[in-house]
């Protein structure tokens, strides 16, 4: 072996006066040199201060004599290794008398010129304080990990990249994995797929934005495939150099709490849907009798919107009068809360509407209790007992439900979708729409007749309903199309599974007299919030997916993808083109005749907007008018329509045809602060007599606008302009209320006209509407008249005017003028 340089420098280090010798003497360690017989040849000054020994007195003495047999034996293995020519070290106990210390020693062999060990250098450091701290730290860690391992809640340490570093028994039990299995996984491996994006976002924020802790709820997947709802408290531990070391995670299983919340939420949703759907009016208050809510019937009967009424005293919203003496009646809810009992109205009582008219009502009042039985508020349930109540409720049902299948129709679909999305949003879940269409249904009607087709639709409805187990809502969208609303979607796989069951069940549809029926359906699926976040777009995307499903060969289902979104692109194209349509003179008005029900002569016209370019229709009204309303372009377009219609009516008046023209007014126009000024200016500019213009308004515009709307209607009527209520019967509008509004005519919606010759209930209701409207001195116009039988029924029932394809389709002004000349 090669001689060590220490043999050459030893005399200088031990006896010299240069700076290395000074360093050795003052070093904070016991430094010594032992010869081959373990005798001290050198000991530094630290021996004096640490051991109370004069270094000079140690020279020539053997190590065992100086440190004692016990210490010598403890370090003997390291000494033997050093004398054998190897670097050696020792860390452990050493004793100074009865005092026990901890030391760390290094032993380096010193070689002579021949390569033999002639001695060793020793360096000994007292690490007693460090050892004490290490023991304390170890005890602390033991206590921590004892608490960690035996904690009642789940505990885990997670590496910055997401690997599980340590988990306790409670967490393993919670999600069904053994510890060794979990340590091979990451947090993402057991996170519910729908929660990954949000979980990853929080993880990144904590690492990158110095967020030291956070709290969240998420879902883990149990080993058996079930969902475990958990609440996490996460803290990030960083090293001294600020690098992330690990996350400390506390995990609580809140699955039971979530189940309770879901049950409570479903009950609340059921209560809300029930309140919005029942035919009775409902008002709730707090214990001080301040209003907390009104359902839609209560809004219509009182004239107060729910949000406007909230916080007001009940007596301000629900004003009762004695029917005989017109004296105020004490509100029964006050007595109900005071006596903690149910209180009914006594005798004949009137409810005063916000606009000043009265309606006979019946009422029941009761206190609302909390779980401990304490009164926390009250509820009023009341209804209109006038002769029109049953008629109005039947009208509502007919307009909101399909007469063939009994299912809700498309008029309520947007409301139901909106409620489903709100529910999914509160629960932080997905929702979905399934748009179902029967493949080649036209062939069923052609081969077997419409009556058989109706039986097939009813049978398929029953098959679909058999696949729906919970709170899913099935609507008939029209023709052979249905829509299923899924308000609670655990994952896209659940939607796919339901679609396959629906397809299979459709094949099992059986109808008497059609033994060879083989019904097939296609389904388009859109998911909230992945595909859209509002009802109209979600429905459009489901339709687009349905088209794609049919394009791939029918009899299947497709999820919506962005690449399918041609309809959305078409909508954007429509809006872009609309912005230039006026300046390009692409709009025109067509006029549909209204005829006198008895005489058959043309007595009026409805102006209808059309969009053409180069002699071709660009888009039908049902496509571009909704876009115009959503974009606000309906304001300039509506102003143009009103101006053109007045000019044309004035032209006909000058030619001897005093022909009233009706114009549809959109809510956005009517609610504009300058609407009356626009109307007055148009009439003045055109020179048209006010009585030759009729404005068609919707029920909702008239009934929900408050006193400002009523005042505007009176001003319009004083200008001589006629007012008609369009699509009457499609909203909540009690006939008894109409006498309080300046309305000249009602237009019976085509949904009633369509079925009057085939459905006795519809015929009875339509006749009653006409009779009661005439008793209020209102003209009645029936629209959508297509057959002579419908026309004859309406004529006999007392309609003033009839309108529909039976008497003429909408036509350009020139063609309408020829019609006037021919019939005049």
């Amino acid at each position: 072996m090669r001689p060590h340089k220490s043999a050459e420098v030893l005399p200088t280090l031990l006896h010299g006066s240069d700076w290395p010798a000074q360093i050795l003497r003052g070093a904070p360690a016991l430094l010594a040199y032992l010869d081959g017989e373990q005798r001290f040849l050198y000991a530094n000054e630290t021996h004096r201060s640490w051991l109370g020994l004069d270094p000079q007195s140690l020279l020539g003495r053997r190590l065992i004599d100086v440190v004692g047999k016990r210490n010598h034996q403890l370090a003997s293995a390291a000494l033997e290794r050093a004398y054998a020519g190897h670097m050696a070290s020792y860390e452990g106990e050493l004793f100074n008398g009865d005092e026990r210390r901890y030391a760390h020693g290094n032993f380096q062999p010193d070689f002579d010129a021949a390569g033999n060990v002639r001695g060793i250098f020793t360096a000994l450091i007292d690490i007693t304080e460090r050892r004490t701290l290490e023991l304390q730290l170890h005890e602390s860690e033991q206590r921590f990990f004892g608490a960690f391992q035996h904690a009642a809640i789940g505990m885990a340490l997670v590496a910055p990249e997401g690997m599980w570093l340590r988990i306790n028994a409670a967490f393993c039990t919670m999600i069904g994995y053994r510890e060794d299995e979990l340590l091979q996984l990451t947090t993402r491996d057991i996170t519910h797929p729908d929660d990954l994006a949000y979980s990853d976002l929080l993880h990144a924020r904590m690492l990158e934005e110095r967020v030291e802790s956070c709290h969240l709820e998420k879902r883990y997947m149990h080993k058996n495939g079930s969902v475990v709802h958990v609440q996490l408290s996460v803290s990030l531990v960083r090293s001294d150099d600020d690098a992330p070391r690990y996350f400390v995670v506390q995990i609580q299983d809140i699955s039971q709490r979530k189940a309770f919340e879901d049950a409570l939420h479903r009950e609340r949703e059921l209560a809300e849907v029930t309140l919005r759907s029942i035919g009775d009016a409902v008002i709730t208050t707090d214990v001080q009798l301040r209003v907390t809510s009104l359902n839609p019937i209560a809004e219509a009967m009182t004239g107060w919107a729910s949000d406007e009424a909230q916080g007001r005293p009940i007596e301000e919203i629900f004003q009762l009068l004695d029917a005989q003496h017109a004296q105020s009646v004490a509100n029964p809810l006050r007595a109900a809360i005071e006596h903690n009992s149910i209180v009914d109205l006594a005798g004949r009582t009137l409810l005063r509407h916000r606009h000043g008219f009265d309606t006979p009502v019946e009422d029941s009042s009761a206190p609302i209790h909390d779980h401990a039985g304490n009164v926390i508020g009250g509820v009023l349930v009341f209804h209109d007992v006038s002769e029109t109540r049953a008629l109005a409720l039947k009208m509502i049902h007919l307009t909101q439900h399909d007469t063939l299948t009994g299912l809700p129709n498309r008029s309520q679909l947007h409301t139901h979708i909106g409620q489903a999305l709100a529910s999914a949003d509160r629960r932080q879940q997905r929702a979905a729409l399934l748009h179902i269409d029967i493949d080649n249904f036209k062939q069923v009607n052609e081969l077997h007749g419409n009556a058989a087709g109706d039986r097939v639709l009813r049978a398929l409805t029953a098959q679909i309903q058999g696949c729906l187990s919970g709170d899913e809502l099935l609507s008939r969208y029209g023709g052979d199309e249905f829509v299923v609303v899924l308000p609670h979607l655990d994952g896209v796989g659940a939607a796919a599974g339901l679609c396959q069951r629906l397809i299979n069940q459709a094949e099992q549809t059986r109808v008497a007299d059609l033994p060879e029926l083989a019904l097939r359906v296609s389904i388009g699926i859109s998911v909230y919030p992945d595909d859209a976040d509002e009802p109209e777009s979600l429905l459009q995307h489901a339709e687009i997916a349905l088209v794609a499903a049919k394009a791939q060969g029918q009899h299947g289902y497709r999820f919506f993808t962005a690449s399918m979104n041609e309809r959305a692109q078409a909508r954007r194209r429509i809006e872009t083109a609309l912005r230039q349509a006026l300046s390009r003179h692409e709009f025109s008005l067509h006029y549909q005749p209204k005829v006198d029900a008895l005489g058959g002569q043309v007595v009026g016209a409805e102006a209808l907007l059309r969009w053409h370019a180069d002699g071709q229709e660009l888009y039908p009204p049902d496509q571009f008018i909704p876009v115009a309303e959503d974009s606000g372009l309906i304001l300039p377009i509506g102003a143009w329509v009103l101006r053109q219609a007045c000019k044309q009516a004035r032209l006909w008046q000058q030619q001897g045809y005093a022909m009233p023209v009706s114009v549809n007014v959109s809510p956005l126009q009517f609610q504009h602060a300058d609407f009356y000024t626009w109307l007055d200016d148009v009439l003045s500019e055109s020179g048209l007599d006010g009585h030759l213009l009729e404005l068609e308004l919707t029920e909702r515009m008239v009934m929900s606008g408050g006193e400002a709307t009523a005042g505007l209607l009176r001003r319009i009527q004083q200008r001589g302009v006629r007012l008609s209520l369009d699509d009457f019967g499609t909203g909540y509008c009690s006939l008894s209320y109409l006498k309080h509004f300046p309305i000249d005519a009602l237009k019976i919606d085509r949904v009633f006209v369509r079925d009057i010759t085939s459905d006795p209930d519809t015929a009875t209701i339509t006749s009653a509407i006409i009779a009661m409207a005439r008793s209020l001195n209102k003209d009645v116009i029936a629209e959508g008249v297509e057959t002579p039988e419908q026309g004859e029924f309406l004529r006999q029932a007392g309609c003033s005017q009839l309108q529909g394809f039976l008497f003429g389709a909408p036509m350009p002004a020139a063609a309408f003028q020829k019609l006037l000349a021919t019939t005049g």
Side-chain angles (χ1 to χ4, degrees):
M1 290 189 292
R2 185 179 59 83
H4 197 281
K5 286 187 177 182
S6 60
E8 302 169 10
V9 301
L10 178 61
T12 303
L13 293 177
L14 297 182
H15 304 294
S17 58
D18 56 353
W19 61 267
Q22 295 176 17
I23 293 174
L24 292 175
R25 285 194 295 270
L30 299 177
L31 302 178
Y33 182 84
L34 304 177
D35 64 12
E37 297 179 353
Q38 298 189 15
R39 296 178 184 278
F40 282 92
L41 296 186
Y42 172 79
N44 72 346
E45 191 64 25
T46 308
H47 285 73
R48 187 190 305 276
S49 57
W50 282 19
L51 303 178
L53 297 174
D54 181 2
Q56 294 298 319
S57 69
L58 298 178
L59 301 181
R61 297 178 60 186
R62 296 181 63 200
L63 177 64
I64 190 171
D65 298 329
V66 174
V67 302
K69 290 183 179 180
R70 180 164 58 171
N71 287 335
H72 189 270
Q73 185 174 2
L74 290 171
S76 61
L79 288 168
E80 289 174 3
R81 179 173 175 77
Y83 277 106
H86 306 287
M87 281 290 297
S89 65
Y90 168 77
E91 185 168 305
E93 295 177 325
L94 290 177
F95 294 88
N96 185 14
D98 294 333
E99 182 183 10
R100 182 171 63 180
R101 308 290 290 180
Y102 284 87
H104 177 84
N106 287 323
F107 306 116
Q108 178 179 322
D110 179 36
F111 300 95
D112 61 15
N116 300 313
V117 176
R118 65 182 179 184
I120 61 173
F121 294 98
T122 68
L124 205 66
I125 301 173
D126 188 341
I127 60 169
T128 302
E129 292 184 2
R130 191 192 82 184
R131 173 69 174 175
T132 301
L133 291 175
E134 288 176 348
L135 289 174
Q136 291 174 349
L137 177 61
H138 179 71
E139 290 174 2
S140 175
E141 289 177 345
Q142 288 297 107
R143 288 194 297 272
F144 170 76
F145 285 111
F148 177 98
Q149 185 63 29
H150 300 293
I153 63 172
M155 298 286 293
L157 301 183
V158 179
E161 66 274 12
M163 290 293 297
W164 299 102
L165 299 176
R166 184 159 188 167
I167 58 265
N168 71 349
F171 185 52
C172 292
T173 301
M174 189 186 303
I175 59 171
Y177 286 91
R178 298 191 312 271
E179 181 178 0
D180 61 307
E181 292 175 324
L182 269 179
L183 293 178
Q184 303 301 313
L185 303 175
T186 68
T187 57
R188 298 184 94 256
D189 293 331
I190 64 169
T191 296
H192 191 287
D194 292 347
D195 294 344
L196 279 173
Y198 181 62
S199 183
D200 289 347
L201 177 64
L202 287 181
H203 184 268
R205 285 189 58 202
M206 293 190 73
L207 290 175
E208 299 168 8
E209 301 179 18
R210 298 198 55 79
V211 177
E212 300 301 330
S213 63
C214 73
H215 303 274
L216 71 150
E217 292 183 5
K218 65 185 290 187
R219 289 165 293 177
Y220 284 136
M221 300 304 299
H222 193 279
K223 187 178 180 181
N224 64 13
S226 62
V227 175
V228 181
H229 291 267
V230 295
Q231 185 177 59
L232 304 184
S233 177
V234 185
S235 300
L236 176 59
V237 176
R238 293 180 179 271
S239 61
D240 292 340
D241 61 358
D242 207 35
R245 292 185 62 195
Y246 54 83
F247 295 96
V248 180
V249 188
Q250 299 180 38
I251 309 122
Q252 287 184 287
D253 186 345
I254 58 171
S255 299
Q256 189 175 39
R257 191 193 84 191
K258 280 293 184 181
F260 289 148
E261 288 178 355
D262 287 350
L264 180 62
H265 180 71
R266 289 175 186 267
E267 289 182 8
R268 183 181 295 115
E269 282 191 323
L270 178 61
E272 289 179 0
V273 171
T274 302
L275 284 177
R276 297 185 67 84
S277 303
I278 62 173
D280 285 342
V282 181
I283 301 177
T284 60
T285 73
D286 60 19
V287 74
Q288 284 80 34
L289 290 165
R290 292 188 295 263
V291 172
T292 55
S293 71
L294 286 79
N295 75 343
I297 305 297
E299 289 182 323
M301 292 186 66
T302 62
W304 288 87
S306 182
D307 56 354
E308 191 179 8
Q310 286 176 14
R312 296 177 183 267
I314 185 64
E315 283 84 359
E316 183 179 354
I317 307 304
F318 191 68
Q319 300 180 33
L320 297 174
L321 302 173
D322 177 76
Q324 185 174 0
H325 305 290
Q327 303 261 337
S328 294
V329 174
N331 195 299
L333 188 55
R334 192 170 292 280
I337 291 179
E338 182 177 345
H339 300 294
N340 194 16
S341 63
I342 298 174
V343 177
D344 296 327
L345 275 176
R348 296 176 58 205
T349 308
L350 301 176
L351 169 64
R352 175 146 294 175
H353 191 275
R354 187 179 184 181
H355 297 318
F357 53 86
D358 302 326
T359 304
V361 294
E362 290 179 350
D363 164 277
S364 180
S365 307
I368 300 173
H369 302 95
D370 62 14
H371 67 281
N374 302 310
V375 176
I376 58 172
V379 59
L380 281 162
V381 181
F382 57 98
H383 57 259
D384 179 352
V385 294
S386 66
E387 58 184 350
T388 64
R389 169 178 160 74
L391 176 62
L393 293 178
K394 184 65 176 177
M395 287 164 52
I396 291 172
H397 183 82
L398 282 175
T399 58
Q400 294 180 355
H401 290 77
D402 173 49
T403 55
L404 177 64
T405 62
L407 296 174
N409 61 24
R410 65 190 301 166
S411 69
Q412 291 297 296
L413 186 57
H414 279 72
T415 300
H416 292 148
I417 296 173
Q419 292 169 352
L421 301 194
S423 170
D425 193 51
R426 288 193 296 268
R427 297 159 58 91
Q428 295 186 343
Q429 286 187 333
R430 287 171 164 158
L433 296 186
L434 312 183
H435 195 140
I436 305 170
D437 181 73
I438 303 175
D439 297 334
N440 303 316
F441 182 69
K442 184 179 179 182
Q443 295 179 2
V444 176
N445 285 329
E446 291 176 348
L447 292 173
H448 306 287
N450 290 337
D454 289 348
R455 295 200 304 275
V456 170
L457 289 173
R458 284 193 290 266
L460 177 62
T461 298
Q463 292 294 99
I464 295 174
Q465 289 174 323
C467 292
L468 306 180
S469 58
D471 48 6
E472 305 94 340
L473 177 75
L474 174 64
S475 296
R476 186 181 178 194
Y477 194 62
D480 60 343
E481 298 178 48
F482 299 83
V483 172
V484 178
V485 181
L486 306 179
H488 310 300
L489 186 67
D490 290 332
V492 294
L498 176 57
C499 286
Q500 192 56 58
R501 292 196 299 275
L502 289 170
I503 291 170
N504 296 340
Q505 282 297 107
E507 292 181 346
Q508 304 304 314
T509 303
R510 297 291 179 264
V511 176
D513 303 326
L514 298 176
E516 298 181 0
L517 178 67
L519 211 59
R520 294 175 171 239
V521 299
S522 296
I523 305 175
I525 312 164
S526 61
V527 178
Y528 168 86
D530 306 45
D531 300 330
D533 57 7
E534 51 89 19
E536 178 63 27
S537 296
L538 202 65
L539 188 56
Q540 289 176 0
H541 291 168
E543 288 186 66
I544 293 170
L546 173 62
V547 172
K550 285 184 169 292
Q552 73 178 6
Q554 303 183 341
H555 193 49
Y557 62 85
R558 285 287 301 274
F559 284 90
F560 172 81
T561 62
S563 61
M564 300 176 183
N565 202 3
E566 295 179 2
R567 180 164 183 167
Q569 295 171 2
R571 188 179 179 90
R572 287 193 291 270
R573 288 196 295 269
I574 291 174
E575 182 176 342
T576 300
L578 272 176
R579 296 185 182 278
Q580 302 174 358
L582 277 175
S583 61
R584 292 177 175 176
H585 307 292
E586 293 174 345
F587 288 130
S588 63
L589 293 184
H590 284 200
Y591 298 87
Q592 185 171 34
K594 299 178 184 178
V595 304
D596 181 77
L598 295 177
Q601 67 271 24
V602 178
V603 294
E606 180 178 1
L608 298 167
L609 183 62
R610 296 294 184 265
W611 188 3
H612 292 84
D614 299 326
Q616 299 293 323
E617 183 179 51
L618 289 180
Y619 299 99
D622 62 350
Q623 288 187 19
F624 74 80
I625 289 179
V627 177
E629 290 178 334
D630 291 344
S631 62
L633 294 171
I634 196 66
L635 290 176
I637 293 172
W640 181 89
V641 169
L642 185 61
R643 186 175 296 107
Q644 291 300 115
C646 288
K647 285 181 179 179
Q648 186 61 60
R650 174 58 177 160
L651 181 60
W652 284 332
Q653 182 184 16
Q654 291 172 335
Q655 295 173 349
Y657 304 111
M659 185 62 52
V661 173
S662 62
V663 176
N664 290 280
V665 178
S666 80
L668 198 61
Q669 284 178 278
F670 189 72
Q671 292 162 6
H672 197 283
D674 294 328
F675 178 73
Y676 181 80
T677 302
W678 296 343
L679 174 65
D680 187 60
D681 289 346
V682 167
L683 288 172
S684 298
E685 291 171 7
S686 65
L688 182 68
D689 292 340
H691 72 277
L692 293 179
L693 176 65
E694 182 176 296
L695 300 182
E696 295 191 8
L697 312 172
T698 66
E699 285 185 39
R700 184 171 296 275
M701 288 163 60
V702 172
M703 296 300 293
S704 62
E707 184 57 39
T709 295
L712 176 58
L713 292 173
R714 286 192 289 269
R715 291 183 68 193
I716 293 172
Q717 198 173 59
Q718 289 166 4
R719 185 66 171 81
V721 176
R722 284 173 53 84
L723 296 169
S724 66
L725 208 57
D726 195 16
D727 301 334
F728 183 77
T730 59
Y732 183 86
C733 185
S734 173
L735 280 164
S736 63
Y737 287 5
L738 288 177
K739 61 185 177 183
H740 304 288
F741 290 94
I743 299 297
D744 300 294
L746 304 182
K747 292 193 75 174
I748 298 177
D749 187 71
R750 64 183 67 247
V751 71
F752 295 102
V753 174
R754 182 190 63 207
D755 296 327
I756 54 174
T757 58
S758 59
D759 180 42
D761 284 346
T762 302
T764 300
I765 289 175
T766 304
S767 297
I769 292 173
I770 296 170
M772 297 186 70
R774 295 304 296 266
S775 71
L776 295 172
N777 296 316
K778 310 291 185 186
D779 289 331
V780 182
I781 306 164
E783 60 180 346
V785 182
E786 298 182 356
T787 68
E789 293 79 13
Q790 293 171 344
E792 181 60 27
F793 179 93
L794 294 164
R795 189 178 297 110
Q796 294 294 331
C799 265
S800 313
Q801 298 175 17
L802 305 177
Q803 178 183 347
F805 282 94
L806 181 62
F807 309 105
M811 61 191 77
F816 191 87
Q817 187 164 330
K818 289 182 181 179
L819 176 67
L820 292 178
T822 303
T823 59

